[in-house]
Amino acid sequence: MRTLITNGTIVTAEGSTVADVLVDGETIAAIGAGLAGTLGADETIDATGRYVIPGGIDVHTHMELPFGGTFAKDTFETGTRAAAFGGTTTIVDFAVQSRGRSLREGLDAWHAKAEGNAVVDYGFHMIMSDVNDQSLAEMDTLVAEGVPDFKLFTAYPGVFFSDDGAIFRAMQRTGRNGGLIMMHAENGLAIDVIAADTVAAGVTDPIGHGLARYSVLEGEATNRVIRLAEAAKVPVYIVHLSAREALNAVRQARDEGLPAFAETCPQYLFLSLDDLSNGFEGSKFVCSPPLRTEDHQRELWKGLVKDDLQVVSTDHCPFDFHGQKELGRGDFRKIPNGLPGVEDRMDLLHDGGVVGGRITRERWVEITSTAPAKLFGMYPRKGAVAVGSDADLVIYDPNRKRVISARTHHMDVDYSCYEGRTVQGASDVVMSRGTVVVRDGTFTGRKGHGQFVRRGTADHARMA
Ligand code: URP
Ligand code: ZN
Ligand code: ZN
């Protein structure tokens, strides 16, 4: 199958140009002006007035994550389908090592969830809950299998938490095997004390979650893990960074030339502590780190402009309001942590970032596709519009407006954090490895089309 996309404005991290793109099978075969007259194609799509961008890459999702006595609701089928509607053609999800179990068992379980179900391509990071001699040795095997990153937590004591010694040992290991440590950096031990005090003082509503998880404790943990990485002489990537104090720690490390990297998420750019304030409705916005006061948002946008933040991913982790978030009625500590978002990331950032005049369209492509591809060992197969790259392409209308709503979204969750918000910019045609999976609001893909992306290691030290 050969598809010719004519006259679109190709937007990449490097620049924009009007040209045609020929897709042959699963890859991009040619890019240039006037290809229509010279090359035969089975289908021609006129992209005049629209962008042609590399498909979005969301490197932080949690399909079916077990959390707080329940499971994140999207499966690999529903979650990747929603991703496709939103112009995201690759996700990297977190496989989970349970306490007392091996990395292998966790990874095999995630392969089983995804294989035959995903509609777009997917990779895995590994959550390490138990650092010991065996799991450290397994890290090397996973790197060789294309799963080269490991998330550890200074948060969630008793669940995913690791102490500094365990984190340091894992960092030393990735220093030798070329992998990357991803850190959830909040001081969970101190936060649990404050949360208990908050409940004892009678604050049991969701706002307590936001009040107890001090931003300074995100800053402290972020600085600590960066310094542990410095001592171990390895790169480190901070996930879902939400607070000014944490950004300052990353900025300072980068100014010193350290290979420290970080992502933020749409919820920290567009939502705030106020959203947690509306009685139990606020549970819809409970995630960790929590939503912050609005002044943090301005700093995060600055961080994106100046490249102190390199990536925006979603931390997509959806729980229904009814039946799941409700587990925490009367005690905010029991609300499952996480928000839906995989479908809306590209449009929210186009609307708030590009249309809002905060970032260029090229930077939009960079933070949502190209930089994650580079940092997570997929470039230039993904994250590029280039001859030889996978034909993961989106024909994007920068002018079309749509209203975000749970009534029309495709994520399997009963609410939207952005209910009623109008965004400018939408994906018209979404192609995954040469196959059109979404066209004008209709799903044309297939369950099982998505393939596991065996990722390489990246030279992070040279990306600093
Ligand atoms: O609240 C969140 N972020 N839930 C998902 C798990 C995690 O920490 O990433
Ligand atoms: Zn986390
Ligand atoms: Zn997460």
Side-chain angles (χ1 to χ4, degrees):
M1 173 81 183
R2 284 156 71 94
T3 306
L4 187 63
I5 302 169
T6 58
N7 255 324
T9 302
I10 300 171
V11 182
T12 67
E14 290 80 35
S16 301
T17 180
V18 175
D20 302 336
V21 180
L22 179 72
V23 173
D24 192 354
E26 297 198 343
T27 56
I28 296 172
I31 300 171
L35 294 186
T38 57
L39 299 167
D42 303 297
E43 187 191 1
T44 299
I45 304 174
D46 179 7
T48 305
R50 298 184 285 180
Y51 299 160
V52 179
I53 59 171
I57 301 176
D58 188 345
V59 291
H60 192 150
T61 68
H62 298 284
M63 305 305 169
E64 302 175 51
L65 177 76
F67 198 107
T70 185
F71 288 83
K73 197 133 171 273
D74 267 317
T75 61
F76 275 84
E77 182 184 359
T78 63
T80 55
R81 193 165 165 271
F85 272 100
T88 289
T89 52
T90 306
I91 63 162
V92 186
D93 202 84
F94 287 86
V96 179
Q97 176 204 21
S98 307
R99 281 262 158 94
R101 300 290 176 87
S102 64
L103 301 188
R104 165 66 47 213
E105 282 174 87
L107 181 60
D108 284 352
W110 253 257
H111 272 298
K113 289 175 202 275
E115 202 181 330
N117 290 315
V119 312
V120 299
D121 290 352
Y122 59 91
F124 295 122
H125 318 284
M126 190 79 220
I127 285 178
M128 282 187 87
S129 316
D130 210 346
V131 176
N132 53 48
D133 289 346
Q134 186 203 333
S135 60
L136 285 165
E138 283 187 285
M139 290 172 84
D140 302 354
T141 316
L142 264 60
V143 172
E145 287 180 17
V147 180
D149 346 281
F150 305 87
K151 182 181 178 189
L152 288 102
F153 297 71
T154 59
Y156 308 136
V159 189
F160 296 131
F161 174 88
S162 291
D163 65 27
D164 289 357
I167 292 167
F168 192 70
R169 290 185 82 196
M171 285 177 168
Q172 287 180 316
R173 195 79 186 201
T174 55
R176 291 194 284 273
N177 65 27
L180 181 67
I181 296 292
M182 307 170 78
M183 287 301 315
H184 178 140
E186 289 183 287
N187 189 323
L189 295 170
I191 285 169
D192 275 7
V193 173
I194 303 165
D197 290 348
T198 307
V199 170
V203 181
T204 58
D205 266 354
I207 186 65
H209 177 83
L211 297 175
R213 304 184 85 91
Y214 295 178
S215 58
V216 69
L217 293 176
E218 187 183 339
E220 181 276 322
T222 302
N223 184 58
R224 178 160 36 104
V225 299
I226 287 172
R227 297 306 159 187
L228 289 173
E230 181 183 11
K233 297 187 176 54
V234 291
V236 65
Y237 179 95
I238 310 298
V239 296
H240 48 44
L241 186 149
S242 76
R244 180 196 304 108
E245 294 90 331
L247 177 59
N248 284 341
V250 173
R251 186 182 285 141
Q252 179 168 344
R254 292 177 65 79
D255 287 351
E256 292 169 17
L258 293 175
F261 305 92
E263 65 177 20
T264 190
C265 309
Q267 52 269 35
Y268 303 121
L269 296 165
F270 297 107
L271 304 173
S272 78
L273 192 65
D274 290 347
D275 293 294
L276 282 164
S277 306
N278 183 19
F280 194 71
E281 282 287 305
S283 66
K284 293 175 177 172
F285 301 90
V286 165
C287 59
S288 293
L291 303 181
R292 304 290 184 193
T293 49
E294 266 178 31
D295 47 310
H296 290 266
Q297 294 174 359
R298 282 189 290 282
E299 291 301 314
L300 297 181
W301 281 110
K302 238 190 272 174
L304 284 170
V305 170
K306 292 188 176 295
D307 204 38
D308 289 319
L309 297 170
Q310 297 77 43
V311 171
V312 178
S313 57
T314 61
D315 196 8
H316 176 77
C317 189
F319 299 99
D320 274 344
F321 176 67
H322 296 289
Q324 292 192 295
K325 291 287 187 181
E326 280 177 335
L327 293 169
R329 263 195 206 282
D331 187 343
F332 64 79
R333 294 172 297 180
K334 298 192 174 130
I335 300 170
N337 286 202
L339 309 183
V342 74
E343 188 167 354
D344 299 319
R345 178 184 68 131
M346 301 295 286
D347 298 345
L348 283 166
L349 285 166
H350 181 267
D351 181 60
V354 183
V355 179
R358 293 175 170 115
I359 54 172
T360 63
R361 60 191 181 184
E362 290 80 14
R363 182 65 177 153
W364 168 62
V365 168
E366 187 165 29
I367 61 181
T368 55
S369 180
T370 308
K374 287 180 177 171
L375 282 164
F376 291 95
M378 289 179 271
Y379 188 84
R381 177 177 166 195
K382 309 281 190 192
V385 181
V387 172
S389 293
D390 280 2
D392 290 356
L393 296 168
V394 177
I395 300 178
Y396 195 85
D397 184 343
N399 297 310
R400 181 154 69 87
K401 293 188 174 161
R402 71 178 185 96
V403 178
I404 298 177
S405 172
R407 284 191 297 280
T408 49
H409 74 200
H410 302 86
M411 297 176 284
D412 185 19
V413 61
D414 65 1
Y415 74 96
S416 169
C417 291
Y418 305 97
E419 188 67 40
R421 182 188 287 251
T422 300
V423 284
Q424 181 179 327
S427 300
D428 285 349
V429 179
V430 180
M431 196 178 264
S432 162
R433 294 192 337 273
T435 297
V436 174
V437 293
V438 173
R439 189 190 298 261
D440 300 327
T442 301
F443 182 65
T444 55
R446 176 178 62 78
K447 172 180 165 165
H449 166 84
Q451 291 180 355
F452 172 64
V453 182
R454 198 185 167 105
R455 293 178 296 117
T457 53
D459 189 354
H460 298 104
R462 294 217 293 191
M463 290 180 183

